[in-house]
């Protein structure tokens, strides 16, 4: 499936976030209402920007 977060799919961050969301769904802590790829990708993008900003600001 094509989505704007494709570049993150092979990262460790993607795997961790996807697994965590899967666990929350399995425990019925959250309900999936949209594509997991978009949610995981969005979180990866947000966290990646935070890491980039922290690296710049040292």
């Amino acid at each position: 499936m094509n989505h704007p977060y494709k570049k993150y799919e092979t990262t460790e961050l993607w795997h961790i976030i996807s697994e965590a969301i899967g666990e929350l769904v399995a425990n019925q802590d959250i309900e999936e209402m949209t594509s997991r790829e978009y949610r995981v990708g969005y979180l990866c993008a947000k966290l990646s920007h935070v890491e980039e900003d922290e690296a710049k600001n040292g």
Side-chain angles (χ1 to χ4, degrees):
M1 174 182 206
N2 286 333
H3 52 81
Y5 308 109
K6 196 92 171 139
K7 69 180 183 179
Y8 298 108
E9 283 187 346
T10 58
T11 66
E12 183 178 3
L13 181 59
W14 179 283
H15 175 74
I16 292 167
I17 292 173
S18 183
E19 185 177 290
I21 289 174
E23 291 169 359
L24 290 169
V25 170
N27 292 333
Q28 298 181 339
D29 292 322
I30 63 171
E31 184 178 334
E32 291 188 282
M33 303 295 289
T34 60
S35 164
R36 185 175 295 187
E37 287 83 8
Y38 280 94
R39 282 173 292 143
V40 173
Y42 177 82
L43 292 171
C44 286
K46 285 293 191 179
L47 291 170
S48 293
H49 288 292
V50 168
E51 289 175 353
E52 290 171 3
D53 289 345
E54 287 177 353
K56 288 178 188 175
N57 296 327

